């Protein structure tokens, strides 16, 4: 088990009880994502956590595959899916780059890419698992956009200290929006929608189509 799997397993129960920080932004991006999905689609969500987003979106598609490296997070997700009566969702314990066999019409990664040490590898796996013209839909906190501000300084100081005492995952990237978009395009995607929800610090919402 990796250190990050242990970290997320340890906090799973507390995480499951935590309120969404910006409910309005979450609901808006959830509906934007739903608007791209069709009832016959096969969809995967990487880094699904406790499954909230996957469970919300599963009724809009034919099959939902939800993955996370934390078995404890997935246990919560399975219970939530059962309680919600959602039967077309499958949970898989796996790191983001190990996507269960597709192909998929869409792959989602919400609040995940900034936690990855191997973003390029994961994006390549996403492209390989999608059908031609398939969609990659992501939302990523871009901490690098706060550069030069007091908030940025506090992030840079606080996150390493939290990592030392086991209060933060081992990898947190300070992404810039331009770099994030360039990486997605390099992996073989055309970006078709963007937005920041919330704006400060920007959490970049991206919809990208796999190029043929």
């Amino acid at each position: 088990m990796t250190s990050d799997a242990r970290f997320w397993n340890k906090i799973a129960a507390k995480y499951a009880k935590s309120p969404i920080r910006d409910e309005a932004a979450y609901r808006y991006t959830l509906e934007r994502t739903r608007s791209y999905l069709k009832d016959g689609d096969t969809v995967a969500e990487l880094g699904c956590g406790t499954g909230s987003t996957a469970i919300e979106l599963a009724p809009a598609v034919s099959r939902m595959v939800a993955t996370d490296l934390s078995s404890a997070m997935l246990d919560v997700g399975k219970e939530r899916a059962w309680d919600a009566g959602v039967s077309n969702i499958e949970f898989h314990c796996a790191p983001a780059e190990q996507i269960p066999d597709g192909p998929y019409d869409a792959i989602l990664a919400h609040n995940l890419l900034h936690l990855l040490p191997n973003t390029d590898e994961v994006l390549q796996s996403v492209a390989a698992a999608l059908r031609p013209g398939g969609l990659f839909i992501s939302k990523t906190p871009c901490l690098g956009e706060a550069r030069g501000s007091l908030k940025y300084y506090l992030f840079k100081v606080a996150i390493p200290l939290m990592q030392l005492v086991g209060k933060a995952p081992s990898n947190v990237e300070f992404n810039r929006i331009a770099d994030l978009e360039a990486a997605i395009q390099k992996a073989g995607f055309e970006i078709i929608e963007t937005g920041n929800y919330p704006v400060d610090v920007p959490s970049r919402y991206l919809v990208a189509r796999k190029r043929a």
Side-chain angles (χ1 to χ4, degrees), residues 104-119:
Y104 296 93
D105 298 288
I107 294 178
L108 318 178
H110 291 174
N111 298 309
L112 173 68
L113 298 184
H114 67 301
L115 301 176
L116 300 176
N118 59 338
T119 301

Side-chain angles (χ1 to χ4, degrees), residues 28-105:
Y28 181 78
T29 53
L30 188 72
E31 291 309 312
R32 290 304 306 141
T33 299
R34 197 192 313 271
S35 74
Y36 283 99
L37 306 179
K38 301 184 292 295
D39 56 10
D41 283 352
T42 296
V43 177
E45 185 187 9
L46 312 182
C48 71
T50 56
S52 298
T53 296
I55 292 166
E56 288 258 14
L57 295 174
V61 303
S62 175
R63 176 180 173 231
M64 176 69 74
V65 176
T67 77
D68 200 277
L69 54 72
S70 167
S71 59
M73 290 281 193
L74 294 176
D75 287 342
V76 176
K78 292 172 185 176
E79 184 174 346
R80 286 180 168 178
W82 175 266
D83 290 344
V86 176
S87 59
N88 66 331
I89 186 168
E90 306 164 19
F91 292 95
H92 294 263
C93 190
E97 68 273 13
Q98 294 179 15
I99 304 173
D101 289 344
Y104 296 93
D105 298 288

Side-chain angles (χ1 to χ4, degrees), residues 19-29 139 197-200:
I20 296 171
R21 290 184 181 179
D22 191 323
E23 182 74 24
Y26 173 73
R27 288 290 157 190
Y28 181 78
T29 53
K139 186 175 178 181
Y197 316 108
V199 174
D200 183 33

Side-chain angles (χ1 to χ4, degrees), residues 181-196:
E181 294 186 356
I184 291 172
Q185 291 168 327
K186 181 182 177 182
F189 291 93
E190 172 193 6
I191 296 173
I192 59 176
E193 181 181 344
T194 63
N196 295 329

Side-chain angles (χ1 to χ4, degrees), residues 143 146-162 174:
L143 304 181
R147 190 182 304 272
S149 68
L150 176 61
K151 186 173 288 189
Y152 179 84
Y153 173 76
L154 292 174
F155 284 144
K156 292 294 283 187
V157 171
I159 290 175
L161 292 176
M162 293 171 68
F174 282 69

